[in-house]
Amino acid sequence: MDTQLKKGIIDILTLATLRRSNSYGYQLVQDISNVMPINESTLYPVLRRLEAQGMVTTYTREHNSRLRKYYQLTQSGLDRLQEFCGEWNQMQRIYNYIVNSDEQGGLEKSYE
Amino acid sequence: MNKYQFINELKKELLLRMTRAEASKAVQYYVELIEDRLESGESEALVLENLGSPRLLAHRIIGEFLERYEQDKQEGVSHKKQLRVLKGREDFFKNNMVLILALSPILLPLAIATLSIAFALVITAIALFFSIGVAVIAVFASMVVSFVAFSIGLVAYPIFMITTGASGSEIIVVIGFFLAGVGLTGLFALGTYKLTRLLFRTIYTAATFRRIRARVDETLFVQPNQPQGQGQGQLHLEQTNTSGS
C-alpha cells in the first residue's frame, strides 16, 4: 500500500482501536495487525504524534513490577475519527469513479 | 546482543540527535514492548531479530520526527512541541548547510585558529596565575615556618646554654643571632604578603587592563548603523577611562 496513505490509515486505526478500550503498545500492535500488518516501530511515531496533537492521553500502570504506558482516546481524537468517517463517503465516491472508469471491470476484480 | 545492550545502544544513538526527554520516551516504549513480547512467550533472540539493529531503529525514529517537522513547516503548522523534540543545532546546520559548506575552506581554518588562540590564552592565564599563586604561597609558608623556628630557638637555645654552663658573652651572641633570624623572616613574610596584595591590586585596576576591556566591549557591542559616532565614541570612552583610573 502507498506509504503516505498507509500512515494516515494507521492513525485512524489506532484511534478506532482505542475507542473500544484503553490499550498499551504491544496490545495495539496486535489489534491493528489483525486489520493491517504493522510492526512496533511503525506504531511508535504514530502514538507519539497523536499524543503531541492531543488526540490521545497517556497514563502508566504497574504490570508485573514494571511500568506499562496506556493510551486513552480524547474528545479531539474522537472528533478526528468522526471526521474521517465523513471523508470516507468521499473516498467511496473516488473509489467508485476509479472502478467504473474500467469498462471491463478488470480493476474491480483485482481489488476483490 | 541481549536486550540490555540493545536498549543502551538505542538510547546512545537517540541522544545524538534528540532531547533527553524525547529520547527516554522512545526508549521506554521499546523497553515495554520487548518485555511484553517476552512475556507473551517469544524468545529474546527472536524479538531482537525482529527489531533489527538499534542504530537503524534510532535513525528511523529520528527520521520520522524530521519528516513530520518538515511536513508541518510546509503546511505552515507550527508545532512548538515537535520543534523541541530535535536538538536545535540540527535545524541550524540543516538550514544553513549550503552556506556553511561554501564557506568551509575559510571558516574551518579560521575556527581552528581562533579556538587554538583562545585555548592558548586561557591555559597561559591559568598557568600564570597558578604559578604565581604557588610561588607566593611557598615563600610565605617557608617564611612563617622559619619565623616560628627562630622564635622557639630564641627562647630555648639560651636556656639550653645556661644548663650546660656557657659564658654570658656566648649567650648574648646566640640571642643576637636568633633575634636577627626572627626579624628577617618576619619582615620577609610580611613583605611577601604586602607585595602580593599590591601586585594583584595593580593588575586588577591597571589602566591598560581597563583600556583593553573597554576596547573589547566596544568592538563587541558597537551598533553597526550608528551614524558617524564611532570614532567619537571611541575617543570618549578612552577619555573617561584614563580619567577614571
Side-chain angles (χ1 to χ4, degrees):
Chain A
M1 200 185 282
D2 174 42
T3 46
Q4 210 57 42
L5 190 62
K6 191 174 170 178
K7 263 180 200 162
I9 289 184
I10 293 171
D11 282 21
I12 297 303
L13 283 178
T14 307
L15 293 175
T17 311
L18 288 175
R19 191 167 63 164
R20 282 168 212 187
S21 69
N22 300 346
S23 190
Y24 53 94
Y26 177 71
Q27 190 59 48
L28 278 168
V29 174
Q30 299 293 306
D31 289 345
I32 296 171
S33 288
N34 288 333
V35 194
M36 190 165 95
I38 59 157
N39 59 41
E40 39 276 273
S41 4
T42 318
L43 190 66
Y44 178 67
V46 172
L47 287 171
R48 190 68 197 88
R49 195 162 66 232
L50 290 175
E51 192 188 342
Q53 290 170 344
M55 302 211 183
V56 301
T57 53
T58 62
Y59 60 94
T60 47
R61 283 279 174 281
E62 207 181 292
H63 169 80
N64 275 359
S65 67
R66 60 188 171 86
L67 287 180
R68 212 179 230 172
K69 196 173 183 180
Y70 280 83
Y71 298 83
Q72 183 174 19
L73 194 68
T74 63
Q75 185 57 49
S76 73
L78 196 62
D79 292 346
R80 175 73 194 94
L81 207 54
Q82 277 158 356
E83 189 189 316
F84 176 81
C85 292
E87 285 166 358
W88 187 249
N89 291 328
Q90 196 185 344
M91 291 282 279
Q92 194 80 49
R93 281 201 298 278
I94 294 167
Y95 174 79
N96 288 337
Y97 178 79
I98 295 167
V99 170
N100 291 337
S101 73
D102 184 36
E103 283 170 5
Q104 278 82 43
L107 263 177
E108 194 172 19
K109 263 178 200 155
S110 70
Y111 271 94
E112 273 168 1
Chain B
M1 183 181 277
N2 63 32
K3 60 182 179 183
Y4 301 106
Q5 288 167 322
F6 180 91
I7 288 299
N8 275 334
E9 183 75 16
L10 179 68
K11 192 172 187 172
K12 212 176 73 191
E13 287 293 326
L14 286 175
L15 279 175
L16 292 179
R17 300 283 297 265
M18 286 171 116
T19 56
R20 188 163 285 277
E22 197 57 47
S24 89
K25 267 183 187 165
V27 167
Q28 271 163 27
Y29 173 85
Y30 282 99
V31 167
E32 188 195 306
L33 243 147
I34 291 169
E35 292 298 333
D36 276 333
R37 283 183 66 170
L38 292 176
E39 212 179 284
S40 78
E42 289 179 74
S43 76
E44 189 171 324
L46 179 73
V47 173
L48 294 183
E49 198 193 305
N50 282 170
L51 286 171
S53 117
R55 247 183 91 103
L56 205 67
L57 181 61
H59 288 212
R60 275 181 61 188
I61 295 169
I62 293 160
E64 286 278 354
F65 276 108
L66 262 179
E67 193 183 321
R68 185 69 198 173
Y69 170 64
E70 288 300 322
Q71 236 174 27
D72 284 345
K73 219 166 66 173
Q74 273 174 13
E75 288 164 16
V77 185
S78 88
H79 263 298
K80 276 191 180 165
K81 264 187 184 163
Q82 213 93 55
L83 258 163
R84 254 184 276 130
V85 165
L86 293 161
K87 284 180 178 167
R89 66 199 160 91
E90 288 304 325
D91 295 322
F92 174 78
F93 282 119
K94 252 183 88 76
N95 295 340
N96 300 297
M97 196 47 97
V98 176
L99 189 71
I100 288 168
L101 278 180
L103 287 176
S104 61
I106 304 164
L107 280 180
L108 210 65
L110 210 67
I112 291 170
T114 314
L115 275 179
S116 23
I117 289 171
F119 185 68
L121 279 176
V122 168
I123 292 292
T124 311
I126 290 172
L128 200 69
F129 275 90
F130 189 71
S131 57
I132 289 175
V134 168
V136 163
I137 288 169
V139 169
F140 186 70
S142 70
M143 285 304 147
V144 168
V145 168
S146 322
F147 179 79
V148 170
F150 275 117
S151 306
I152 293 168
L154 182 64
V155 180
Y157 208 74
I159 293 171
F160 170 70
M161 286 179 90
I162 288 165
T163 56
T164 55
S167 66
S169 55
E170 276 174 336
I171 292 171
I172 285 169
V173 168
V174 167
I175 287 174
F177 170 73
F178 277 108
L179 262 179
V182 168
L184 279 174
T185 49
L187 198 70
F188 268 118
L190 205 69
T192 329
Y193 173 70
K194 288 273 183 195
L195 262 173
T196 318
R197 244 181 63 169
L198 190 72
L199 182 73
F200 275 94
R201 193 173 284 177
T202 315
I203 290 173
Y204 193 68
T205 55
T208 48
F209 184 70
R210 274 202 180 181
R211 225 171 269 164
I212 291 166
R213 243 179 22 188
R215 198 151 294 170
V216 169
D217 284 355
E218 196 182 83
T219 42
L220 284 181
F221 304 115
V222 73
Q223 298 294 314
N225 54 353
Q226 225 170 23
Q228 271 288 324
Q230 226 168 322
Q232 276 183 336
Q234 196 175 359
L235 196 68
H236 185 66
L237 251 173
E238 267 180 3
Q239 275 174 346
T240 34
N241 270 300
T242 32
S243 65
S245 53

